[in-house]
Amino acid sequence: MDHSLSELEFLRPSWRALQRVAAVFRRQSGARPRRTEVRRCTLKRAPHWLGVFVLAGVLAQGQSSHSATYDTERHVRLQGPVTRVDWVNPHAFFFIQVGDANWAVEFGEPLVLERQGWNRNSLRVGDVVSIEGNPARGQKKQAYATSVTRSGQRLFTARAEAPARRAEPTPRWPDGKPRLGPAPGKKGYWGSASASALVENVGTPIPMNRDGLLENLADIDRVAPLQPWAKAIYEFRQRNLLKDDPYNRCVPPGGPRQFLMPNGFQFVEQRELGRILILLGGGDRNWRVIYTDGRPQGQASEAVLSYYGNSVGRWDGDTLVVDSVGYNEGFWFTNGGLPHTEALHLVERFSRPNLNTLHYEVTVDDPRAYTRTWTGTWNIAWVPDQEIQEYFCEENAESTFVR
Amino acid sequence: MTRRLGCLLLGLSAFLMAQEGHPLTGTWSGDWGPSAAQRTHLTFVMTWDGKKVSGIINPGPNSMPIGDVSIDFSNWTVRIQATGIAAEGRIEDLASVHRSIKGTWKQGAVSGDFRLTRD
């Protein structure tokens, strides 16, 4: 955010209405406006255009990637009283007064923090805290806390994982097939992924941050068998610190990326209807359908192109095998910015070796972007006794900077 | 009020649409000419099949196939050849759905400049 709080306060009265309009319009595949229309708007409605551009800028940065927002090469220590706590999805913030400045401190996703036992009352206005973290890029009074201490007691540690749980057997349906959701009478959802981005499963792990930003650009050739144009685009995105990520503009995280998001997801197996729904905790509460009624997969060229594709699934022993085609090119299908085309064909394999682990494997077949098919895998941890929470991307900018 | 809302929607659309695949895929429109006063409209439709970019110029009764397209990824320079046409330009604003190509255009004995913007 390059706007000061005072600038954004000026926009507050019309913010909600604009958000609704933007959300509706964002989902349209609209053609570019005719030039005459643009010119009329430009000349006669210049004051409104000014507001539009400012607001669009706010919207476009409503959910910036961590790498583009924070400078992980720099560190900051701050101490002061808490003046406000915003316990909101997807990023929780508190504000502290440091001298004459009021700093906005991001300290993780509420859902993840709650997995660790924290809640919205763990930190209160007036508490004096010390934080260590990474400052925002530029001159903004904003930081991402890697630790928060109050009266010598460490409170939050960003990105800490929940403690390991005892392995329990896979819950199963009466016919013996694994349940992908909770056992009857229980709650839970799938939370943290063991990987931050999709990469090919060869050799040693590739160092990268939570957004899929490589620590070393020389590793690009190890990420996936990219065609030259795809490699160039991927490198361009990496060099730009992923700031052009469509997800930052609330575009759905289609493809394997849906299983990398911190807000988790849930399977709803509607066996009587021959389908499985995947409900996403992030990505504007998107949902995806996997048809398991035996229908054949259609041709990619005939599909209505979409963010989550056309998916058909079948069980191969204890593994759900899902075949998907029909993806549009409007999104990044993994953190980190690997490109894909409309020819993308995914084969996903889901297995649940025990209650707490979902093993995910995806084979990527996109001959227009890659030189051959390739496979990536990761595990996803079960979060027992909790539910995914409401999260609307558009709310983020308002909740953290405007309200 | 309706016009104001229309302006708002048009303004937002430029920021919110996306095309993240091959950078040349899609429909492009613009013009070329030897001077600012002499311009000829252009429409390009280009696709990427995994091996080469192909397409047509000015779809319709007077259309012309694109003969050859190449990109230098080190500087995003595009070279386009069709019957009697040789153009070379640079992709600008690569991350935008409305990215553009600007450069030089030669058609027969006439030389000029061109600009194409992805729709």
Side-chain angles (χ1 to χ4, degrees), chain A residues 56-79:
Chain A
V58 173
L59 267 181
Q61 298 181 53
Q63 186 179 248
S64 298
S65 74
H66 184 86
S67 307
T69 305
Y70 298 103
D71 185 348
T72 55
E73 300 297 315
R74 294 163 57 211
H75 299 276
V76 65
R77 289 184 180 182
L78 302 169
Q79 185 173 27

Side-chain angles (χ1 to χ4, degrees), chain A residues 18 21-22 25-26 28 30 32-33 37 40-41 44-45 48-49 52-53 56 59 227-229 232-233 236-237 244 246 249 329-332 339-340 367-368, chain B residues 3-23 25 29-31 48-51 71 73 76 94-95 98 117-119:
Chain A
L18 289 168
V21 171
F25 201 75
R26 181 177 299 123
Q28 297 178 1
R32 197 158 177 250
E37 293 169 328
R40 180 179 303 161
C41 293
K44 293 187 176 180
R45 300 289 170 179
H48 304 305
W49 271 111
V52 164
F53 286 130
L59 267 181
Q227 285 202 16
W229 76 266
I233 286 284
F236 173 82
R237 293 170 178 171
D244 301 310
R249 302 189 300 272
E329 295 182 359
F331 64 102
W332 291 3
H340 70 276
R368 296 184 195 170
Chain B
R3 184 174 291 178
R4 187 179 301 178
L5 182 61
C7 290
L8 168 66
L9 296 178
L10 292 177
L12 288 173
S13 70
F15 291 87
L16 302 174
M17 302 303 168
Q19 190 274 340
E20 307 290 336
H22 190 283
T25 295
S29 61
D31 55 32
W48 167 251
D49 67 2
K51 292 181 179 171
I71 305 180
F73 297 116
W76 297 103
L94 178 65
H98 298 313
T117 301
R118 192 182 178 283
D119 287 341

Side-chain angles (χ1 to χ4, degrees), chain A residues 151-164:
Chain A
S151 303
Q153 179 197 3
R154 200 169 192 186
L155 293 178
F156 306 101
T157 303
R159 309 298 293 177
E161 294 301 323

Side-chain angles (χ1 to χ4, degrees), chain A residues 164-181:
Chain A
R165 297 185 188 88
R166 182 170 57 89
E168 296 178 45
T170 306
R172 293 181 181 275
W173 291 96
D175 65 2
K177 290 291 183 212
R179 286 179 180 270
L180 298 174

Side-chain angles (χ1 to χ4, degrees), chain A residues 58-373:
Chain A
V58 173
L59 267 181
Q61 298 181 53
Q63 186 179 248
S64 298
S65 74
H66 184 86
S67 307
T69 305
Y70 298 103
D71 185 348
T72 55
E73 300 297 315
R74 294 163 57 211
H75 299 276
V76 65
R77 289 184 180 182
L78 302 169
Q79 185 173 27
V82 174
T83 60
R84 194 174 90 197
V85 179
D86 274 2
W87 191 263
V88 292
N89 279 319
H91 307 295
F93 275 79
F94 63 82
F95 294 75
I96 61 173
Q97 195 69 31
V98 182
D100 294 334
N102 193 246
W103 280 71
V105 180
E106 181 180 344
F107 62 111
E109 296 91 2
L111 205 59
V112 176
L113 292 166
E114 287 177 13
R115 286 175 209 156
Q116 301 162 26
W118 302 108
N119 62 45
R120 62 184 308 121
N121 297 317
S122 298
L123 195 62
R124 294 180 179 279
V125 171
D127 288 351
V128 176
V129 297
S130 300
I131 76 122
E132 294 181 15
N134 304 122
R137 297 182 184 278
Q139 301 301 313
K140 292 169 282 190
K141 301 296 184 189
Q142 184 179 333
Y144 185 84
T146 51
S147 77
V148 181
T149 304
R150 178 183 59 193
S151 303
Q153 179 197 3
R154 200 169 192 186
L155 293 178
F156 306 101
T157 303
R159 309 298 293 177
E161 294 301 323
R165 297 185 188 88
R166 182 170 57 89
E168 296 178 45
T170 306
R172 293 181 181 275
W173 291 96
D175 65 2
K177 290 291 183 212
R179 286 179 180 270
L180 298 174
K186 302 280 189 179
K187 292 189 296 185
Y189 68 92
W190 295 105
S192 304
S194 62
S196 55
L198 171 65
V199 297
E200 188 174 25
N201 283 343
V202 289
T204 54
I206 300 172
M208 62 180 70
N209 76 359
R210 54 182 282 188
D211 293 327
L213 189 69
L214 299 176
E215 289 185 10
N216 187 350
L217 278 176
D219 284 331
I220 284 180
D221 289 328
R222 297 174 55 210
V223 171
L226 292 150
Q227 285 202 16
W229 76 266
K231 178 181 176 181
I233 286 284
Y234 179 64
E235 182 172 347
F236 173 82
R237 293 170 178 171
Q238 288 277 323
R239 288 188 183 280
N240 277 340
L241 304 175
L242 314 175
K243 72 178 178 62
D244 301 310
D245 187 347
Y247 185 70
N248 297 343
R249 302 189 300 272
C250 304
V251 170
R257 194 176 191 182
Q258 65 196 279
F259 305 118
L260 293 166
M261 309 314 291
N263 286 54
F265 61 94
Q266 220 165 19
F267 288 99
V268 178
E269 295 176 87
Q270 296 181 315
R271 303 182 110 204
E272 72 284 7
L273 298 176
R275 67 188 186 188
I276 297 171
L277 304 180
I278 298 178
L279 312 181
L280 270 71
D284 271 358
R285 304 193 87 186
N286 296 161
W287 51 276
R288 169 189 174 191
V289 185
I290 299 169
Y291 293 103
T292 54
D293 55 3
R295 69 181 64 187
Q297 177 60 283
Q299 297 296 313
S301 59
E302 298 172 350
V304 176
L305 304 180
S306 62
Y307 293 100
Y308 291 103
N310 186 64
S311 299
V312 295
R314 62 178 174 78
W315 285 94
D316 177 10
D318 277 357
T319 301
L320 176 67
V321 182
V322 180
D323 188 290
S324 302
V325 295
Y327 293 97
N328 68 36
E329 295 182 359
F331 64 102
W332 291 3
F333 81 129
T334 174
N335 294 341
L338 284 177
H340 70 276
T341 73
E342 292 177 358
L344 179 64
H345 171 214
L346 299 177
V347 178
E348 299 163 292
R349 299 174 68 86
F350 301 88
S351 58
R352 191 175 191 178
N354 56 58
L355 172 71
N356 296 320
T357 305
L358 183 72
H359 184 66
Y360 177 71
E361 176 186 299
V362 59
T363 298
V364 178
D365 175 20
D366 185 348
R368 296 184 195 170
Y370 300 93
T371 58
R372 55 179 167 77
T373 60

